[in-house]
Amino acid sequence: MRHGRIMAASVIVLAVLVGLLTYAKVQSTRTVSLAPSGPYAVGRLTDLWVDRSRTDQFAPIGGMPRILPTWVWYPAAEGATGPESVYAPGEWAGLHRFGWATTHFDRVRTGTRDEVPPANGRFPVVVLLPDLGYSAPQYAAVASGLAARGFLVVGLTPTYSSRLSVIEDRPVPASAAGSSRAREDQLVSVWATDARFAAERAVLQFGARADGGKIAYVGHGLGGTAAIEACRVDGRCGAVVSLDGAAGGAAASDGFSRPLLTLRSADSAADGQTFTLAGADRLSFTDYAAYRVAAPVRWALPLGSLDGRRAHAITVDYAGSFLASRFGGTKWTAPPHPEIRAAEAHR
């Protein structure tokens, strides 16, 4: 009798596991859209930007210049045609994790087109920094959303700090020096310098399409801390948006006087935040929020209960309207989303 019960329980557990795996496999092949919404179509290009004025402090081999894989999302000319951008081309496909439990990257629709002509006009430059361990391509939803609103968005992957960078078609993992939480002050300093270099390079490379008088920094997590630091020391910086990141170093001890908007997830305990996005969690600001993620992986990841596309739409609306108001010299009014609550009076 006892053996029969054990056998029956084992069969039930096995059936549940098979069901979960089958469901995960089906979900992973369903299409997910990150297509932006706004006045502009969006173009995308990828490049390697090299700062030869610095030696990379995190490179395993000494004496190397700082090399930064760069993704740029920009307002595209109306009617520009071409193949849709591949979400994670080439070796960037190595960003995919958890196998069948998450959306296959070839099922992610970007809604952008590679290297199409830019729209007419001069556009503010926004440098986007990821959280520690993450890469620029994993913020395509927010980056392309801002580009659709008329910003030239430069997404940086901090080499040797991200789990994956790709340099000359070669995957480059994080180094011990570049990914240690014990070195946060050094990471923030290096990333802030990366961001200021990227802003300067964007103004030079995109010429008349980049408005060098309108520079902003946006960052997630530790990237948010670095964005605040970059803005603090960059006299051209007009505003900064931090997603789940808090001011650190001199910005925390001496105060930060530049226009600052911070969105935090519901469980964030960071100080100095302004608005809380109810139902969000740490990864709600990344593309993970839009992926189909099956249990039990979903239970383990900090994704929150808020629908991912909704989280992205609110993030873009808050960040885009805030930056537009600062650059336009108008008073900013927080968009009326029921998921948002004010944590304290905003700047």
Side-chain angles (χ1 to χ4, degrees), residues 87-329:
Y87 178 61
E91 296 295 337
W92 288 106
L95 290 170
H96 190 266
R97 303 179 71 195
F98 310 115
W100 287 350
T102 56
T103 298
H104 291 172
F105 281 173
D106 62 2
R107 296 296 182 175
V108 179
R109 302 279 76 84
T110 61
T112 65
R113 303 187 186 283
D114 281 351
E115 300 186 7
V116 294
N120 291 325
R122 300 186 71 208
F123 304 105
V125 175
V126 176
V127 179
L128 174 64
L129 292 166
D131 197 4
L132 181 62
Y134 292 87
S135 305
Q138 295 172 299
Y139 294 82
V142 170
S144 63
L146 290 174
R149 286 176 171 244
F151 298 97
L152 195 160
V153 183
V154 180
L156 292 182
T157 298
T159 309
Y160 302 116
S161 295
S162 300
R163 294 189 189 98
L164 175 68
S165 301
V166 176
I167 297 177
E168 295 179 343
D169 298 323
R170 179 174 57 88
V172 177
S175 67
S179 59
S180 172
R181 282 283 181 185
R183 295 173 176 248
E184 281 195 8
D185 288 347
Q186 183 184 14
L187 292 173
V188 168
S189 176
V190 171
W191 291 12
T193 305
D194 291 344
R196 289 186 287 116
F197 162 74
E200 294 172 358
R201 174 67 182 265
V203 171
L204 290 174
Q205 181 158 328
F206 295 99
R209 295 292 175 261
D211 191 338
K214 296 178 179 178
I215 304 292
Y217 298 98
V218 176
H220 176 221
L222 193 64
T225 304
I228 293 171
E229 176 62 15
C231 188
R232 184 187 71 84
V233 297
D234 186 349
R236 305 163 304 168
C237 177
V240 60
V241 177
S242 178
L243 309 173
D244 256 352
S253 60
D254 301 339
F256 183 75
S257 60
R258 304 290 178 83
L260 168 65
L261 168 69
T262 310
L263 294 179
R264 68 180 184 185
S265 60
D267 68 345
S268 173
D271 295 328
Q273 309 286 349
T274 304
F275 292 96
T276 297
L277 182 55
D281 210 328
R282 190 74 167 186
L283 291 182
S284 296
F285 301 110
T286 72
D287 293 345
Y288 266 99
Y291 300 161
R292 299 184 186 278
V293 184
V297 172
R298 184 172 187 89
W299 304 335
L301 293 178
L303 286 167
S305 58
L306 181 62
D307 176 76
R309 289 294 290 168
R310 179 66 178 159
H312 293 155
I314 294 171
T315 300
V316 170
D317 197 16
Y318 262 68
S321 64
F322 177 77
L323 295 178
S325 72
R326 296 308 178 187
F327 290 137

Side-chain angles (χ1 to χ4, degrees), residues 4-20:
R5 290 173 179 168
I6 293 174
M7 180 66 72
S10 299
V11 170
I12 291 172
V13 170
L14 181 60
V16 170
L17 288 175
V18 170
L20 285 174

Side-chain angles (χ1 to χ4, degrees), residues 2-84:
R2 182 179 178 185
H3 290 297
R5 290 173 179 168
I6 293 174
M7 180 66 72
S10 299
V11 170
I12 291 172
V13 170
L14 181 60
V16 170
L17 288 175
V18 170
L20 285 174
L21 287 174
T22 302
Y23 176 75
K25 185 175 181 180
V26 171
Q27 287 290 94
S28 70
T29 60
R30 294 181 63 185
T31 299
V32 165
S33 175
L34 302 180
S37 176
Y40 293 96
V42 177
R44 191 193 73 179
L45 62 85
T46 61
D47 203 353
L48 282 180
W49 290 359
V50 183
D51 185 355
R52 300 190 183 280
S53 70
R54 291 185 292 155
T55 297
D56 197 325
Q57 302 175 36
F58 304 140
I61 301 175
M64 298 290 292
R66 184 69 168 157
I67 304 174
L68 296 166
T70 307
W71 292 53
V72 182
W73 292 265
Y74 59 91
E78 185 177 357
T81 60
E84 184 178 54

